[in-house]
Amino acid sequence: MKIAVMSCIHGNYAALDAVLLDIDEQKAEKIYCLGDLVGYGPYPNAVVEQIRSLDIPTVQGCWDEDIVEGLNACECSYPSLLAEKRGRIAHEWTNKKVNPEVREYLAQLPHTYKEDNLCFAHGSPSSNHEYLLPEMDAFTALERVLSSDADILFCGHTHVPYVRTLDSGQLQVKVCQPNQNEQPAVSFNTPLKRIINVGSVGEPRHGRPNATYVIYDTETEAVSLREVEYDYQATCAAILDAGLPPIFAWRLAKGLEFAEKADDPTHVCER
């Protein structure tokens, strides 16, 4: 069965509309969404209403969580004061715009969603705010997939799509303590796992303005990273008209700036 997985729509209705059309052309039988329906973009209510109307299984993203829990609930994701200031403006704007039904919908979204050997999360199974970057050390990456009790972990949050295969291998652990006999080593085999980051529909940061998402075939296990062109300039104009920070329009047009990346990719918010 072909499935489509998308993430990080960020109030960009034009991008969502184009991706849904492409999904239909790819003849995917089911769609999953990894959250961040709101934030940065000018159409948070319209995006949520479209996702709800299509009954798409959706998990809660960090922006969805922060709008529900309170403005700027987690400050640890911002790498600079400037990025934090922009984030606060966007939070306040979005918080004023979302209607009560949208807020209620965002509040009831699960942190993760599991189906067969597939797990769907926004950042990681540990936190909506954790970045699973492709350069993350293999042991930590493997731990994140194992903690989901799945073979394939779909995630977003970085806005840059990638597929990472964690080959099967053997791990060995030996416990040594002072004044005690050395314990025998414990070995176990790690199964083949994969992390599939689906990128971003509404605010790509892979160097082009095109929306990205993933088509996955559950029978052949084939992965297709899809890149969809759309009228991003209309969304840029709407961002400016809404009074949101102009840099949001600039980076949407360029598909650049990893501004909200935490310095430490293994960091997990403990608030």
Side-chain angles (χ1 to χ4, degrees):
M1 178 176 73
K2 272 188 179 180
I3 65 170
V5 189
M6 67 169 91
S7 185
C8 305
I9 302 167
H10 285 302
N12 188 340
Y13 188 83
L16 173 61
D17 195 42
V19 164
L20 290 174
L21 180 61
D22 194 74
I23 289 173
D24 187 55
E25 292 173 350
Q26 298 302 313
K27 303 187 185 309
E29 296 177 54
K30 193 167 183 179
I31 306 173
Y32 301 84
C33 181
L34 309 182
D36 268 9
L37 307 180
V38 304
Y40 300 129
Y43 303 112
N45 291 318
V47 164
V48 171
E49 287 163 6
Q50 179 70 301
I51 294 293
R52 291 184 68 184
S53 70
L54 296 174
D55 198 23
I56 295 174
T58 301
V59 299
Q60 189 180 62
C62 57
W63 267 90
D64 310 324
E65 178 186 357
D66 286 352
I67 288 299
V68 171
E69 298 292 335
L71 293 180
N72 205 25
C74 180
E75 301 179 5
C76 57
S77 293
Y78 295 118
S80 69
L81 291 176
L82 182 60
E84 182 179 345
K85 181 181 178 181
R86 292 197 301 264
R88 281 182 178 275
I89 293 172
H91 270 290
E92 291 169 0
W93 185 93
T94 306
N95 192 47
K96 290 178 182 176
K97 284 290 179 181
V98 295
N99 60 46
E101 292 78 16
V102 166
R103 195 183 305 277
E104 184 178 350
Y105 173 79
L106 298 177
Q108 57 82 41
L109 292 175
H111 176 64
T112 60
Y113 182 80
K114 182 98 185 304
E115 194 163 298
D116 299 325
N117 68 331
L118 311 178
C119 181
F120 304 88
H122 177 70
S124 81
S126 302
S127 169
N128 287 335
H129 293 266
E130 183 180 28
Y131 291 94
L132 295 188
L133 299 173
E135 61 266 29
M136 171 181 273
D137 70 89
F139 188 85
T140 304
L142 178 63
E143 189 280 331
R144 295 298 187 266
V145 187
L146 291 173
S147 70
S148 70
D149 193 28
D151 294 324
I152 299 176
L153 172 62
F154 289 94
C155 63
H157 194 36
T158 68
H159 295 208
V160 179
Y162 69 86
V163 179
R164 183 173 185 179
T165 299
L166 299 159
D167 290 331
S168 57
Q170 188 179 68
L171 292 176
Q172 189 177 76
V173 178
K174 181 185 289 185
V175 179
C176 300
Q177 296 183 11
N179 305 320
Q180 291 190 16
N181 294 330
E182 188 173 278
Q183 299 295 312
V186 177
S187 299
F188 58 93
N189 294 318
T190 62
L192 179 70
K193 302 289 184 183
R194 279 201 287 181
I195 296 175
I196 300 176
N197 192 305
V198 304
S200 171
V201 170
E203 198 193 84
R205 294 174 186 165
H206 60 284
R208 293 174 295 282
N210 303 331
T212 67
Y213 76 99
V214 157
I215 293 285
Y216 176 73
D217 191 314
T218 58
E219 295 178 3
T220 66
E221 300 184 346
V223 182
S224 174
L225 301 178
R226 300 287 302 169
E227 192 170 327
V228 181
E229 295 182 357
Y230 73 101
D231 184 5
Y232 67 87
Q233 292 179 328
T235 300
C236 291
I239 288 172
L240 298 177
D241 289 344
L244 287 161
I247 194 172
F248 292 171
W250 179 89
R251 68 185 184 188
L252 176 60
K254 300 292 184 182
L256 291 174
E257 193 184 8
F258 208 158
E260 274 68 51
K261 180 178 70 174
D263 291 335
D264 177 6
T266 64
H267 172 71
V268 176
C269 177
E270 297 179 348
R271 68 178 170 83

